[in-house]
Amino acid sequence: MRWLIALLLATLAQTAAGDDTLWVCYNYGCLQDAEVRYTERQLALVGAFLLAAGDAADERDRLSLVIGWLLAWAGEQTAIAADRGGNVADDGIDGRMDCIDHSTTTTRLLRLLERRGWLRFHEVLEPVQRTRYLVAAHFSAQIGQRPEAATPDEAAGAPGHYVVDSWFRDNGRPAVVMPLPDWLAGGGEEESSLAAMASLASGAPAAGP
C-alpha cells in the first residue's frame, strides 16, 4: 500500500504544474486539427492509474482504457465524439476518424504519457502499417516493451512490439492492444465488423482495414 500511496503523491506533484494540451486530427487523413486541453484532475487520474501497473501486461491493459478515456475527453471538446468504429458507421459525419487520424492522434497521446513518465514498461514507437489484399492499407500507433520489462520467456523470443489501435471502436471505448504479429496477420478486424453490420441497412459498402 505504501508504494501505491507514493506513486499517487508523485503523480499529483508532477501534474501540479498545470493542464496539458494536445492536437487531435480527424475527418480522414488528418484533414482537420483541433486543440484539446486535459485538466490537472484528468491527468492525475491517468497517471495514478498507469503507475499502479504491476508489469508490462498490466500496463498494456490499463493503456487500452486510458486511450479510451483521453479520446472521450477530447470528444467533449471537439467533433470526434461522433467517431464510430471503422469507416462505415460514421461515413460523411463531421468528426469521423480513419486509421490515419487514429494512428496519428493515438501516437500523440502515447507520447504525452511517455513524456510525463507514466509508461514504465513500454516506449512509444512510430506508427506501423499493414497491407492486406494488396491494396487495403491500415495504420496503427505502436509501442515496444522495454527489454528490462520482459519475462524470461519473453526475453528468449523476439522483441515485444504491440499496436494500440483505437480505430476499431467507437469514441471513448478502450483501444485494441495486441501483439504486432497478430495485428499484421489481420487481428482486430472483428472489432470493426459490428460497425460494418450496423451500416448494412443503409446500403453503405463495408470498409477494409
Side-chain angles (χ1 to χ4, degrees):
M1 180 62 69
R2 284 184 182 175
W3 66 268
L4 180 56
I5 293 174
L7 287 174
L8 288 170
L9 291 174
T11 301
L12 290 173
Q14 193 172 17
T15 56
D19 303 349
D20 210 336
T21 59
L22 178 141
W23 289 87
V24 301
C25 67
Y26 57 96
N27 281 351
Y28 289 12
C30 283
L31 181 64
Q32 292 184 248
D33 288 280
E35 188 176 34
V36 170
R37 179 177 296 276
Y38 294 109
T39 68
E40 179 180 330
R41 183 175 180 178
Q42 290 170 336
L43 294 172
L45 173 64
V46 166
F49 186 67
L50 285 174
L51 288 174
D55 57 27
D58 189 13
E59 185 169 86
R60 289 193 294 274
D61 289 342
R62 292 168 183 267
L63 197 54
S64 169
L65 295 170
V66 162
I67 293 300
W69 296 349
L70 292 169
L71 288 172
W73 291 329
E76 294 174 358
Q77 304 174 51
T78 71
I80 69 168
D83 180 53
R84 296 295 177 264
N87 286 350
V88 176
D90 56 3
D91 184 44
I93 301 298
D94 184 39
R96 65 194 182 277
M97 299 176 73
D98 65 4
C99 64
I100 296 175
D101 300 319
H102 274 284
S103 60
T104 301
T105 299
T106 299
T107 298
R108 292 172 181 170
L109 293 171
L110 291 169
R111 294 204 183 281
L112 182 154
L113 302 176
E114 184 177 56
R115 184 171 66 248
R116 286 179 166 255
W118 295 338
L119 297 182
R120 294 182 296 135
F121 301 101
H122 299 87
E123 61 181 345
V124 182
L125 305 176
E126 291 301 312
V128 63
Q129 174 185 354
R130 74 180 184 194
T131 302
R132 307 188 70 231
Y133 314 120
L134 299 180
V135 295
H138 181 56
F139 297 85
S140 174
Q142 181 184 193
I143 56 175
Q145 182 171 299
R146 300 183 187 279
E148 62 271 22
T151 66
D153 289 341
E154 291 171 335
H161 289 186
Y162 298 83
V163 297
V164 183
D165 197 338
S166 51
W167 175 79
F168 291 107
R169 295 173 175 169
D170 294 353
N171 174 262
R173 298 293 304 278
V176 172
V177 180
M178 63 167 46
L180 176 61
D182 294 346
W183 181 84
L184 289 173
E189 290 176 314
E190 66 278 3
E191 298 295 341
S192 62
S193 63
L194 293 177
M197 290 173 61
S199 71
L200 289 179
S202 68

